[in-house]
């Protein structure tokens, strides 16, 4: 039986349409899913939308819609965007789905059975932007640093999960890499978070109206974060304990952004331990990016629409740029200027030009069948090794870098051998040079496929037809 690979993105919050940040995570997950499919693994790739909570209810009201209408529209926008970006997910979970609600109910009842739930009055500062309680020490000038607004003092009856009972075990699991957290600096960050007093976790909200009923007290709604995390199990049949669930769980990889590490690396494992479920194997945390050096925000008006970029520059160009420009796992900056520079240098002059040169030459004379060993053979082998290592380590930028080194090697090979002269003087040598270039180009398309599936297919088709049929990446 092939190895299974269950990969997830976070479910995206439906208070706004998809932007370049959510596109970034999703494209990365898609690349990894495609890569593992190519390895012959049984891949399940899950993404979706997080649709409950006070923020959504408020946004819906502002838009003059019911919360359900509102989230239906936003969820649709996400699906349209992912189609545009050529995202091949296996399921798109919505937290308003019936299977999710039923799964959450089952999970919460299990949690109650575990004896780790208690009721208490809760008084704390609450940021409606974060939909989370916030500690005084985390405020900046009395305001939430993320939302720049003052939190409100909330007092209500809540149900709590005895998080603290599980923290020593979670800490040990992370220390021993039973749950792998990458990059390493994020693991460190989680371990230092675990040294602080995290308190217990409130799992319900009395005031919130748009959410999933708490099964053991219908006057309360489940805290949106607690139910959102369960999407990773409800999507794959947790409710009925289906064969699918038994086969796929635990997740092999949760891909997340750095602002939600605490929820995924601490709360989620603790909740799973309490309910006797297996733990995710790996959590990979990528960085944030700024836009032209500034934080992306609605108020600054610099939120970038990925559909606009894909329409203007092409889906594959966007997929390439997102994963090439920023070291995956680190913070970075997005700018149209850099995008256009990379487009011209890497895609138009690099890949596009190589394809065009090789195919123009090969139209002249039918190349010889593959020669076994050539000057580029070693280079192909070392590229494959670098590429595989980078993909396994989720260093997606390095994987792309290795492909472009091979492209450069081809360019040098062409300059050195001057096949356009050989065509006139030495037909045999010409055929041999060309055949080696075609072999290498084919190899390049294989390595590129997870990142730029359409481009890879187009190049392969032209190689098969031995004909340059379309211009690729015309210069901007
Ligand atoms: Zn906040």
């Amino acid at each position: 039986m092939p190895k299974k690979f269950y990969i997830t993105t976070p479910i995206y919050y439906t208070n706004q349409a998809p932007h370049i940040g959510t596109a970034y995570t999703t494209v990365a997950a898609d690349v990894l899913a495609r890569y593992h499919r190519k390895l012959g693994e049984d891949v399940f790739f899950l993404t979706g939308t997080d649709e409950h909570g006070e923020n959504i209810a408020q946004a819906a009201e502002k838009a003059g819609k019911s919360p359900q209408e509102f989230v239906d529209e936003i969820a649709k926008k996400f699906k349209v965007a992912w189609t545009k970006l050529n995202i091949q997910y296996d399921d798109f979970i919505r937290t308003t789905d019936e299977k999710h609600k039923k799964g959450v109910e089952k999970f919460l009842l299990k949690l109650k059975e575990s004896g780790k739930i208690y009721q208490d009055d809760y008084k704390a500062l609450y940021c409606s932007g974060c939909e989370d309680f916030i500690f005084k020490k985390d405020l900046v000038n009395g305001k939430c640093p993320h939302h720049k607004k003052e939190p409100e003092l909330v007092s209500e009856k809540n149900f709590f999960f005895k998080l603290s009972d599980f923290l020593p075990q979670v800490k040990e699991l992370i220390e021993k890499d039973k749950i792998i957290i990458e990059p390493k600096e994020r693991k460190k960050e989680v371990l230092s978070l675990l040294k602080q007093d995290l308190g217990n976790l409130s799992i319900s909200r009395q005031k919130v109206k748009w959410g999933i009923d708490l099964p053991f007290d219908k006057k309360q709604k489940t805290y949106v974060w607690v139910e959102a995390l369960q999407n990773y199990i409800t999507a794959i049949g947790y409710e009925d304990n289906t064969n699918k669930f038994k086969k796929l769980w635990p997740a092999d990889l949760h891909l997340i952004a750095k602002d939600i590490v605490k929820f995924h690396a601490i709360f989620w494992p603790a909740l799973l331990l309490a309910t006797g479920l297996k733990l995710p194997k790996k959590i990979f945390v990528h960085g944030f990016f700024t836009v032209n050096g500034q934080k992306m925000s609605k108020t600054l008006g610099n939120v970038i629409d990925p559909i606009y970029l894909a329409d203007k520059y092409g889906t594959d160009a966007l997929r390439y740029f997102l994963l090439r420009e920023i070291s995956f796992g680190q913070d970075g900056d997005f700018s149209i200027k850099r995008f256009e520079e990379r487009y011209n240098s890497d895609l138009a002059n690099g890949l596009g030009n190589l394809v065009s040169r090789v195919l123009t030459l090969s139209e002249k004379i039918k190349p010889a069948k593959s020669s076994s060993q050539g000057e580029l053979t070693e280079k192909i082998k070392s590229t494959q090794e670098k590429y595989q290592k980078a993909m396994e380590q989720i260093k997606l930028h390095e994987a792309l870098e290795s492909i472009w080194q091979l492209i450069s090697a081809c360019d040098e090979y062409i300059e050195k051998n001057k096949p356009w002269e050989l065509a006139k003087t030495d037909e045999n040598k010409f055929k041999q040079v060309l055949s080696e270039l075609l072999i290498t180009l084919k190899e390049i398309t294989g390595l590129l496929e997870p990142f730029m599936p359409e481009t890879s297919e187009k190049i392969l088709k032209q190689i098969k037809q031995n004909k340059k049929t379309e211009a690729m990446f015309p210069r901007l």
Side-chain angles (χ1 to χ4, degrees):
M1 251 207 340
K3 198 173 131 192
K4 67 98 182 169
F5 184 72
Y6 178 27
I7 178 172
T8 69
T9 71
I11 45 174
Y12 302 115
Y13 207 47
T14 41
N15 61 342
Q16 61 172 327
H19 53 70
I20 201 75
T22 42
Y24 183 54
T25 318
T26 312
V27 167
D30 184 60
V31 168
L32 289 165
R34 286 175 186 267
Y35 172 73
H36 283 268
R37 275 186 212 118
K38 251 177 104 81
L39 293 179
E41 292 173 21
D42 200 348
V43 171
F44 194 84
F45 169 19
L46 177 70
T47 188
T49 40
D50 182 5
E51 306 188 352
H52 290 124
E54 204 44 39
N55 273 336
I56 305 282
Q58 280 170 6
E61 207 186 307
K62 247 192 192 167
K65 288 173 184 144
S66 75
Q68 189 63 55
E69 277 173 332
F70 184 78
V71 296
D72 284 350
E73 280 173 21
I74 303 254
K76 203 174 154 198
K77 282 185 183 171
F78 273 94
K79 286 187 177 175
V80 168
W82 298 163
T83 302
K84 181 86 203 166
L85 297 187
N86 209 351
I87 307 295
Q88 244 173 30
Y89 55 76
D90 294 292
D91 196 5
F92 187 104
I93 179 100
R94 299 180 54 188
T95 56
T96 50
D97 287 347
E98 214 42 51
K99 70 175 172 190
H100 179 70
K101 291 183 195 168
K102 284 186 178 152
V104 168
E105 191 171 314
K106 176 179 169 184
F107 188 87
L108 290 171
L109 288 171
K110 284 259 184 225
L111 206 57
K112 186 87 169 41
E113 274 168 36
S114 75
K116 299 293 180 185
I117 297 292
Y118 65 96
Q119 200 180 23
D120 202 359
D121 280 321
Y122 196 72
K123 220 183 240 168
L125 294 171
Y126 184 80
C127 172
S128 58
C130 300
E131 298 213 37
D132 194 12
F133 292 100
I134 184 164
F135 295 111
K136 238 185 176 149
K137 68 173 175 60
D138 294 326
L139 300 178
V140 177
N141 298 325
K143 290 175 180 172
C144 162
H146 305 294
H147 298 94
K148 312 275 184 248
K149 60 178 176 185
E150 279 176 31
E152 44 182 330
L153 187 69
V154 171
S155 174
E156 61 176 36
K157 190 178 83 178
N158 274 181
F159 285 90
F160 284 82
F161 166 57
K162 288 184 185 168
L163 176 70
S164 50
D165 286 7
F166 297 93
L167 294 181
Q169 203 181 337
V170 171
K171 180 168 172 273
E172 198 186 326
L173 287 162
I174 293 172
E175 275 169 350
K176 291 189 173 156
D177 289 330
K178 301 279 182 207
I179 306 170
I180 300 168
I181 298 175
E182 284 179 347
K184 288 297 162 212
E185 59 267 32
R186 296 286 164 227
K187 174 181 172 183
K188 257 194 191 158
E189 184 187 306
V190 172
L191 289 172
S192 84
L193 260 176
L194 280 162
K195 281 183 196 145
Q196 298 171 17
D197 177 17
L198 291 168
N200 283 326
L201 177 64
S202 162
I203 63 156
S204 67
R205 294 288 183 267
Q206 205 172 24
K207 283 188 183 150
V208 175
K209 296 283 170 278
W210 176 240
I212 298 178
D213 288 347
L214 202 64
F216 40 87
D217 183 346
K218 307 269 171 164
K219 287 196 292 296
Q220 304 243 345
K221 299 289 182 203
T222 309
Y223 174 36
V224 64
W225 255 112
V226 169
E227 57 123 321
L229 286 166
Q230 287 154 60
N231 89 86
Y232 301 129
I233 55 174
T234 61
I236 55 168
Y238 168 69
E239 185 220 340
D240 302 322
N241 195 25
T242 56
N243 285 333
K244 187 173 170 185
F245 180 71
K246 285 179 217 159
K247 184 183 115 189
L248 290 174
W249 191 254
D252 295 85
L253 180 60
H254 286 321
L255 199 61
I256 61 168
K258 67 180 188 178
D259 55 337
I260 50 177
V261 173
K262 183 174 76 177
F263 296 94
H264 283 83
I266 299 177
F267 298 169
W268 181 225
L271 288 164
L272 290 168
L273 285 171
T275 46
L277 290 171
K278 287 179 189 157
L279 303 166
K281 291 179 192 163
K282 190 189 274 191
I283 300 169
F284 190 95
V285 188
H286 70 72
F288 276 166
F289 47 82
T290 47
V291 174
N292 296 318
Q294 278 187 311
K295 198 183 159 189
M296 187 167 51
S297 82
K298 263 202 233 173
T299 31
L300 284 173
N302 61 353
V303 176
I304 295 181
D305 176 5
I307 294 185
Y308 164 79
L309 292 176
D311 277 336
K312 183 161 180 199
Y313 301 97
T315 294
D316 276 359
L318 176 60
R319 289 171 64 105
Y320 171 76
F321 178 71
L322 287 175
L323 297 176
R324 178 65 187 87
E325 178 70 2
I326 300 159
S327 297
F328 201 64
Q330 306 303 312
D331 289 341
D333 187 55
F334 180 94
S335 77
I336 294 290
K337 186 169 167 275
R338 279 299 294 152
F339 188 4
E340 294 194 341
E341 279 168 11
R342 270 210 189 274
Y343 178 100
N344 279 332
S345 69
D346 301 3
L347 300 177
N349 294 350
L351 179 64
N353 189 40
L354 177 67
V355 172
S356 162
R357 282 172 103 179
V358 174
L359 286 162
T360 306
L361 286 167
S362 80
E363 276 174 1
K364 288 194 170 102
I365 302 173
K366 214 174 151 49
K369 277 283 165 215
S370 68
S371 56
S372 53
Q373 285 285 327
E375 276 178 59
L376 290 169
T377 312
E378 255 327 287
K379 191 69 197 170
I380 290 177
K381 225 180 114 208
S382 70
T383 302
Q384 285 167 337
E385 280 163 13
K386 260 192 222 163
Y387 175 91
Q388 269 162 22
K389 200 173 151 214
M391 292 303 275
E392 291 307 320
Q393 296 178 341
I394 318 185
K395 292 182 175 168
L396 303 177
H397 56 292
E398 283 183 15
L400 284 171
E401 199 183 352
S402 72
I403 302 173
W404 259 259
Q405 283 166 353
L406 189 55
I407 291 173
S408 297
C410 287
D411 287 336
E412 282 162 29
Y413 180 74
I414 292 173
E415 290 311 313
K416 197 180 122 194
N417 288 288
K418 302 192 175 43
W420 56 91
E421 284 177 11
L422 290 176
K424 292 176 218 152
T425 56
D426 186 344
E427 194 174 307
N428 281 338
K429 174 86 174 155
F430 173 78
K431 282 186 173 179
Q432 189 217 321
V433 165
L434 203 56
S435 133
E436 193 163 345
L437 282 168
L438 284 167
I439 289 168
T440 314
L441 198 54
K442 241 187 197 167
E443 182 62 34
I444 289 169
T445 62
L447 300 174
L448 263 185
E449 199 192 335
F451 293 89
M452 306 172 80
E454 276 173 53
T455 303
S456 166
E457 204 189 309
K458 277 185 198 166
I459 301 173
L460 215 54
K461 207 173 125 201
Q462 296 184 71
I463 295 177
K464 272 194 193 131
Q465 295 174 344
N466 197 29
K467 211 174 169 183
K468 201 173 83 180
T469 50
E470 53 189 313
M472 307 189 75
F473 305 111
R475 267 189 78 88
L476 295 171

